[in-house]
Amino acid sequence: MKLTYNHTITACFIGYIVQAIVNNFVPLLFLTFQDAYGISLSEITFLVTLNFGIQLLVDFLSAFFCG
């Protein structure tokens, strides 16, 4: 089967959907992470902020390389 431009677009959309699910699901587990791993809320907040920053950086760089 030959892959086409539409396959690439579909794969990109699926990637963005999975990324959104992962980034929005983790905050729902803050209390679970606090209890299970003994992580303070400020440390969890830092990890989420770091994750968001890296996500923005990767999105920016991918737009630069693809454009």
Side-chain angles (χ1 to χ4, degrees):
M1 176 172 85
K2 183 177 179 190
L3 298 178
T4 64
Y5 177 75
N6 288 332
H7 289 100
T8 303
I9 296 297
T10 302
C12 290
F13 285 147
I14 291 171
Y16 276 121
I17 290 168
V18 169
Q19 182 181 34
I21 290 170
V22 167
N23 286 328
N24 290 310
F25 181 68
V26 172
L28 298 174
L29 299 174
F30 278 2
L31 295 177
T32 304
F33 290 159
Q34 278 183 312
D35 292 339
Y37 302 114
I39 300 174
S40 69
L41 188 58
S42 63
E43 291 172 329
I44 293 174
T45 304
F46 173 74
L47 290 173
V48 170
T49 304
L50 181 67
N51 180 33
F52 181 71
I54 292 172
Q55 177 186 352
L56 284 177
L57 179 65
V58 169
D59 288 346
F60 176 75
L61 292 176
S62 66
F64 175 74
F65 285 117
C66 293

